Every structure is written in C-alpha cells, then in structure tokens.
Amino acid sequence: MDLSSTAPKNQPVIPRRAASVLMIREGAQGLEVFIQHRVSTMDFAAGMVVYPGGRVDAQDVAEAQSEAIPHALAVEHAKLWKDSSLWEQGEEQAVLDAGTLLAAARREIFEETGAQLDVSQLRPYANWITPPDNPKRFDTFFYVAHVQPGQEPSHQTTEASNSEWIRPAELFAKFERGEVGLMRPTRTTLEDLAALGTVAAAMGAATPIRTVRPQRMPPAADSKKERAS
C-alpha cells in the first residue's frame, strides 16, 4: 500500500525509504558521474536529472533478513549512518535497515542500468528527506560507488529518456543555461562530489552524514527557478 495516498487531510505524508547511487569513474577529463534524465510524465521529479535508484521494497527487506548482505558490512554502514534518520528506532533496527538499503541500492542499479555492483562498492554519502508539503515523500539514502571495468551501466529504464556519463562541471554548465533541471538534493550532492574532485577522494571521504530535512518545496520544476531555492 502506498502510504502517500492514505495520509489524513492536512497531515504530512509519511516518507518512504529509498536508495540512490552516484556511480562514478575517472574519465579522460576527470571525475564523471552517471545520470538519468527523467521523462516529463513521471509523478515525482518529472524532467529532472537524477541518479539511478528507487524506493525500498519487500524484496530488499527479505534479502537483508536472509543474511545475503554481509552482517559486518551492515554494521559498518549503520555506524556511518549514525547521525541520519536510520537510527530513529535504535541500533539493532539500524543495522537491519542498513542491510535493506544496500539490497535496494544494488537491485535498483541492476534494474535501471544493468550494472552488477557488489554491495561492498557502495559507500554511504548523504541522507535527504522530501519536504512535508510534498504529496509524495521519500527518505533517500545516497551512496557513492566506483564503477569497475566490466560493470559499465547502460540506459535501460523507461523512467528516463536517456542516461549518460558526465563531468559535474559540464552538468552545472547545462543547468546554468537552463537546459536541465536539478532538484536540491541532486544539486547539493553533485556540488559536494565536484569539490572532492577525484574518485579516490569521493570514496574515502569521512564527512559525517546528517539528515537534511528541507521544510518547503522548491519553486517549480523550472531549472532557473530551482537554482534560486
């Protein structure tokens, strides 16, 4: 059941957990990230540039409970998520949920890009919760992953018109020209990635991850307006 359609009138929608992955590589001109251009008919982030990912489902919970996700890795990730919303129900649940998120991230990457990543490649990166005035809300856990040779992602999701590798500076230039739209979480995580500069720095970053909870919707999907939010 989609809780976003059952919230009482004038009550904030309960956010659903989701995983999103910044797949990165060193290109000929520097750090590149794999992005998708969402189709305009989507009911969330329509027409926006996004990273591959999606919401957690029952399959991911079952995979985590079956111990298909290494327990030691789930414990490590739970610690990295210590200042995020993952810990709202305590440490034991946080460890289980960390494994569930890893399962969701790996599954979504495969379904949307065909890339088969190992969960050990995923590194916690950021946590954002959609503002309470949004009719569809997500508690999204962002990962960064260094894509290895032979794991190249491709465009194969109907939720996007196309997918591509791009340097952050090039994407920001398109954004400034009004050619693409960037929601605040995407823009901010991309700025952080650009500041790190290299794959090694991105994968080794030790900045504490704290949940970001914007309290209002950005101004419309127009990229120029969104830049001002």
Side-chain angles (χ1 to χ4, degrees):
M1 179 173 63
D2 188 345
L3 297 179
S4 65
S5 64
T6 61
K9 188 176 181 180
N10 299 323
Q11 292 296 317
V13 173
I14 299 172
R16 299 193 62 170
R17 279 195 175 145
S20 186
V21 183
L22 288 74
M23 291 191 288
I24 59 176
R25 70 180 185 185
E26 290 291 352
Q29 299 182 46
L31 177 68
E32 297 178 338
V33 60
F34 189 80
I35 60 167
Q36 299 173 329
H37 297 265
R38 296 267 283 184
V39 296
S40 60
T41 54
M42 299 300 296
D43 59 359
F44 186 84
M48 293 285 128
V49 167
V50 298
Y51 311 117
R55 65 190 183 191
V56 172
D57 66 19
Q59 173 184 340
D60 307 317
V61 176
E63 184 170 0
Q65 291 176 336
S66 72
E67 300 183 357
I69 304 298
H71 180 71
L73 184 61
V75 170
E76 176 189 347
H77 277 218
K79 291 178 180 178
L80 293 173
W81 294 122
K82 184 67 169 64
D83 295 318
S84 77
S85 66
L86 198 72
W87 279 70
E88 292 176 350
Q89 297 182 51
E91 182 176 4
E92 183 176 352
Q93 187 63 43
V95 172
L96 177 59
D97 290 347
T100 299
L101 285 166
L102 280 166
R106 178 171 61 181
R107 174 184 55 77
E108 286 287 340
I109 286 297
F110 178 70
E111 291 178 355
E112 294 193 353
T113 75
Q116 294 184 306
L117 301 186
D118 189 277
V119 289
S120 64
Q121 293 176 253
L122 298 163
R123 182 77 175 174
Y125 188 67
N127 176 217
W128 284 70
I129 298 181
T130 311
D133 61 344
N134 196 325
K136 187 175 285 288
R137 301 182 68 206
F138 295 97
D139 181 359
T140 304
F141 292 79
F142 292 87
Y143 295 87
V144 63
H146 181 195
V147 175
Q148 302 296 317
Q151 294 181 321
E152 288 78 7
S154 62
H155 176 69
Q156 60 180 47
T157 174
T158 58
E159 295 181 355
S161 58
N162 67 294
S163 306
E164 62 177 326
W165 286 102
I166 192 168
R167 291 182 299 112
E170 183 181 352
L171 184 58
F172 283 132
K174 290 185 176 183
F175 177 59
E176 290 295 327
R177 294 194 297 267
E179 297 173 5
V180 298
L182 292 172
M183 294 191 302
R184 193 182 308 171
T186 309
R187 190 177 73 233
T188 301
T189 52
L190 194 64
E191 288 172 345
D192 292 341
L193 183 66
L196 290 167
T198 66
V199 166
M203 296 303 298
T207 305
I209 300 169
R210 296 184 175 88
T211 301
V212 182
R213 303 173 186 265
Q215 292 303 301
R216 66 180 182 87
M217 282 285 288
D222 177 75
S223 63
K224 294 293 186 181
K225 293 180 180 178
E226 168 62 5
R227 185 173 66 243
S229 67

